[in-house]
C-alpha cells in the first residue's frame, strides 16, 4: 500500500487532510482512492478499482486503509468514550496468536513453496501484515520447530 498527501485544510483549530492511496495486490488487482482524514475518521471521496470491487469490499475499504492513513498524517484514530463501539470490522479475520498461529504460518509457507510462489508473500496475504512482520512470524514458526532451519548448521 502506498499513501501520499494530496492537500490539507486547517480551520478552527482542526485540520482535514486528503491523501492519495494505492493498493496493489499480488494477482494484479489495483485500487486507487482519494481519502479524507479528519477528526471524524476516514472518508473516501473517490475510488477506482481494476477489477471492480464488490459492495462488501467497497464497504471494508475504509477499514483497510484507516491505520496507514493515520500513520501517514501522524494521528491516531480517536474513539469517544460516550460512543457505543460495535464489533470491529476487519478485512480478514484476526490471525490466531501463539502456537496455533505459528503452525498456520508454517502451513501457508509450505503450501506456497509447493505451489512455486513466494512463501513470504503468501504469509503476507494470509495474515494481512507487512513484509517485515510476516518475516518475523515466519522466523517464530522456525523457532517453534514448524519449519526447517534457514541455514544448515555445520
Amino acid at each position: 500500500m502506498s499513501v501520499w498527501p494530496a492537500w490539507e485544510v486547517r480551520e478552527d483549530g482542526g485540520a482535514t487532510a486528503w491523501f492519495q492511496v494505492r493498493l496493489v495486490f499480488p494477482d494484479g488487482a489495483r485500487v486507487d482512492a482519494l481519502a479524507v482524514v479528519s477528526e471524524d475518521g476516514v472518508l473516501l471521496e473517490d475510488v477506482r478499482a481494476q477489477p471492480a470491487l464488490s459492495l462488501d469490499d467497497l464497504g471494508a475499504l475504509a477499514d483497510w486503509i484507516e491505520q496507514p492513513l493515520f500513520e501517514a498524517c501522524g494521528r491516531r484514530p480517536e474513539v469517544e468514550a460516550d460512543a457505543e463501539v460495535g464489533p470491529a470490522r476487519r478485512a480478514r479475520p484476526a490471525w490466531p496468536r501463539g502456537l496455533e498461529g505459528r503452525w498456520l504460518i508454517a502451513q501457508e509457507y509450505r503450501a506456497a513453496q509447493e505451489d512455486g510462489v513466494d512463501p513470504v508473500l503468501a504469509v503476507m496475504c494470509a495474515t494481512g501484515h507487512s513484509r517485515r512482520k510476516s518475516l518475523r512470524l515466519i522466523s517464530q514458526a522456525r523457532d517453534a520447530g514448524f519449519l526447517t532451519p534457514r541455514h544448515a548448521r555445520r
Side-chain angles (χ1 to χ4, degrees):
M1 174 187 288
S2 300
V3 177
W4 61 96
W7 63 89
E8 183 173 359
V9 175
R10 294 184 184 274
E11 182 179 32
D12 297 329
T16 302
W18 282 259
F19 290 88
Q20 296 286 340
V21 179
R22 175 170 290 155
L23 290 95
V24 179
F25 296 92
D27 63 357
R30 183 171 137 178
V31 177
D32 290 312
L34 179 63
V36 180
V37 178
S38 67
E39 287 78 24
D40 299 328
V42 174
L43 303 171
L44 296 173
E45 285 202 357
D46 184 37
V47 177
R48 294 181 186 163
Q50 187 63 31
L53 293 174
S54 69
L55 287 176
D56 291 335
D57 289 342
L58 187 59
L61 182 60
D63 293 335
W64 290 347
I65 65 176
E66 183 177 47
Q67 187 62 35
L69 280 172
F70 279 114
E71 288 172 7
C73 65
R75 296 188 206 170
R76 291 188 178 162
E78 296 178 12
V79 178
E80 295 179 14
D82 309 352
E84 292 183 23
V85 179
R89 292 180 55 203
R90 295 178 53 102
R92 352 181 116 70
W95 195 261
R97 296 178 182 261
L99 282 179
E100 181 185 2
R102 292 181 185 125
W103 183 80
L104 290 172
I105 295 287
Q107 296 301 318
E108 286 289 333
Y109 189 91
R110 277 196 232 104
Q113 280 183 323
E114 291 171 4
D115 293 342
V117 297
D118 182 9
V120 177
L121 189 59
V123 171
M124 288 171 61
C125 291
T127 62
H129 291 301
S130 68
R131 185 169 189 84
R132 180 178 288 173
K133 176 70 174 174
S134 295
L135 286 169
R136 187 176 305 131
L137 293 171
I138 291 167
S139 71
Q140 290 172 354
R142 283 188 202 286
D143 292 345
F146 295 124
L147 293 170
T148 59
R150 184 170 174 184
H151 300 290
R153 297 205 168 120
R154 297 176 189 211

